[in-house]
Amino acid sequence: ANFLTGEDLISRSVILLSAPLAIVFVMLLRGGLRSLHRRLLRLNFDLRRLLLIGNAEEAASLDRRVRERPQWGLDLVGRVDPDGGEGSLGSLEQLDRVVNEERVQEIVIAPSAAQAASVAAALPGCRSRNVELRVLGELAGVMTRGVRVEDFLGLPGWSYRMGGAYGLHLALKRLTDLLMAAVLLLLSLAPALVYAILRRMLGLPAWRRAIFLGHDGREHYLPLA
């Protein structure tokens, strides 16, 4: 606004309006980008390529869910069956080759294969390809945040503390964030406050003022640092 009008002073109303206008602009921009991305997903662009490790029944179920939810942008390229069933893209020993040829971005381990030792032995070969790993199972339904993967008596596993204090933890974290934000705000204002105090100690006004003569002939004051 200052550039277009050529004014040396920016009206306070322009400054106050800039914040909501910026918020509205960002919201519209994000909404437009998300709408464009959803349209691309419906046109089968930018789909995330999945590979299932499991049996034929689990693959059919997952494929049905993928087709029912096109907005998720997923594409099931096939499956690798630990038991070597028909329709498999390869054996577990060939998992690295399948991931490379099919350009897999995410491996989904079905419940039937989650405990198979051969699956755990085949996965380390995919680490260099930056593939995301997802494990399905009924037990995941009782877990929320706070799951930790750890070693227990020399055995790999995960731990999760069940309880009802999760809401209290969120409230305490939110309160801590607000307190830290208030402290940082005060620290950001500290130089200006120190400047004003020093000018007061020297017998000067806390702020320098510039005097402007308005169109109505009246004097207007503008505080300067």
Side-chain angles (χ1 to χ4, degrees):
N2 186 34
F3 173 78
L4 294 176
T5 59
E7 297 289 340
D8 293 331
L9 295 177
I10 301 178
S11 171
R12 284 172 290 184
S13 62
V14 174
I15 297 177
L16 293 176
L17 285 175
S18 63
L21 287 176
I23 294 174
V24 171
F25 174 77
V26 171
M27 292 176 61
L28 292 176
L29 179 61
R30 287 183 175 179
L33 292 176
R34 289 171 179 168
S35 177
L36 176 61
H37 188 240
R38 288 193 295 267
R39 187 182 298 271
L40 290 175
L41 292 179
R42 286 194 295 268
L43 296 175
N44 293 331
F45 285 98
D46 193 31
L47 298 181
R48 188 167 181 82
R49 299 175 66 82
L50 307 180
L51 175 67
L52 177 74
I53 299 180
N55 56 42
E57 182 179 353
E58 292 167 329
S61 175
L62 181 60
D63 184 63
R64 183 178 67 255
R65 293 174 180 271
V66 167
R67 295 179 185 277
E68 291 175 351
R69 298 167 176 83
Q71 68 275 13
W72 283 51
L74 302 175
D75 178 26
L76 181 61
V77 299
R79 66 182 178 90
V80 170
D81 196 333
D83 299 328
E86 294 184 3
S88 177
L89 296 177
S91 64
L92 285 174
E93 291 75 13
Q94 300 170 328
L95 181 61
D96 186 61
R97 176 188 62 80
V98 174
V99 169
N100 183 39
E101 292 180 354
E102 300 295 337
R103 305 187 309 279
V104 173
Q105 297 169 281
E106 183 172 337
I107 296 176
V108 180
I109 300 180
S112 65
Q115 300 298 326
S118 56
V119 174
L123 290 175
C126 302
R127 288 179 178 175
S128 60
R129 305 193 183 280
N130 195 26
V131 178
E132 185 174 346
L133 182 65
R134 189 181 303 273
V135 182
L136 305 180
E138 296 296 332
L139 193 57
V142 302
M143 298 185 297
T144 55
R145 301 182 183 181
V147 179
R148 300 188 306 273
V149 178
E150 57 185 24
D151 180 273
F152 180 72
L153 302 177
L155 299 173
W158 53 263
S159 64
Y160 169 65
R161 183 182 298 276
M162 302 184 67
Y166 184 63
L168 178 61
H169 291 166
L170 281 182
L172 291 176
K173 182 180 181 303
R174 182 62 175 173
L175 179 60
T176 303
D177 293 341
L178 293 176
L179 291 177
M180 290 300 298
V183 171
L184 292 176
L185 179 61
L186 292 177
L187 291 177
S188 66
L189 297 176
L193 296 177
V194 172
Y195 175 81
I197 293 173
L198 291 177
R199 288 184 62 86
R200 284 293 189 183
M201 293 175 60
L202 296 175
L204 301 173
W207 306 101
R208 295 180 298 165
R209 297 188 299 176
I211 303 176
F212 298 91
L213 188 64
H215 294 292
D216 55 0
R218 299 173 57 186
E219 292 182 347
H220 298 272
Y221 300 91
L222 178 67
L224 301 175

